Amino acid sequence: QQLKFVVDCTQPADDNIIEPKDFEKFLVNRIKVEGKTGNLGEKVSVSREKNKITVNAEAPFSKRYLKYLGKKYLKSQQLRDFLRIVAPSKTSYELRYFNINDDKDEEE
């Protein structure tokens, strides 16, 4: 059974905060297959189309693992304070900014 997950980096990439190709490379280097990194082989493929990174994997692969790796990447780029990784749908994640401006009314 093939699983397909999409990580959408459009918002931060448009502002030149992250490079999707760096994130793609990070995923390729860090995804573990059978407990080993750099062992993607036929089981997992990572591809990128502009600002969307697609991970195709065979069945035992959790979406949560992608979130974990996404957080690790943001941490390594020191962006965890500005960006978060959210799931808009069952098979995708999206990098979004924290909503800092929501509480303007409360201050007045």
Side-chain angles (χ1 to χ4, degrees):
Q1 178 195 356
Q2 279 288 326
L3 303 170
K4 182 180 176 183
F5 300 112
V6 176
V7 182
D8 188 350
C9 314
T10 308
Q11 279 184 339
D14 286 348
D15 298 338
N16 292 324
I17 289 181
I18 67 164
E19 276 293 330
K21 68 172 188 285
D22 290 345
F23 186 27
E24 180 192 18
K25 190 173 154 208
F26 179 88
L27 287 176
V28 169
N29 293 336
R30 294 297 185 92
I31 289 176
K32 285 187 176 183
V33 178
E34 293 166 8
K36 297 190 186 89
T37 54
N39 185 20
L40 297 186
E42 301 292 305
K43 298 206 163 141
V44 180
S45 68
V46 181
S47 57
R48 179 175 57 92
E49 216 171 282
K50 291 192 178 118
N51 296 329
K52 289 191 175 168
I53 295 167
T54 307
V55 178
N56 286 308
E58 274 179 33
F61 190 88
S62 79
K63 180 180 172 205
R64 179 109 192 136
Y65 182 48
L66 272 186
K67 182 171 189 176
Y68 163 80
L69 288 171
K71 284 176 162 183
K72 261 188 151 13
Y73 175 74
L74 291 176
K75 182 78 175 148
S76 72
Q77 304 292 314
Q78 283 134 15
L79 293 169
R80 281 280 272 130
D81 299 338
F82 312 107
L83 290 170
R84 63 196 197 127
I85 185 158
V86 266
S89 76
K90 213 170 156 60
T91 58
S92 66
Y93 278 122
E94 196 175 286
L95 294 176
R96 282 201 196 144
Y97 293 103
F98 284 109
N99 294 335
I100 299 160
N101 306 331
D102 282 353
D103 52 340
K104 278 185 180 162
D105 300 338
E106 294 166 19
E107 289 171 17
E108 291 172 7

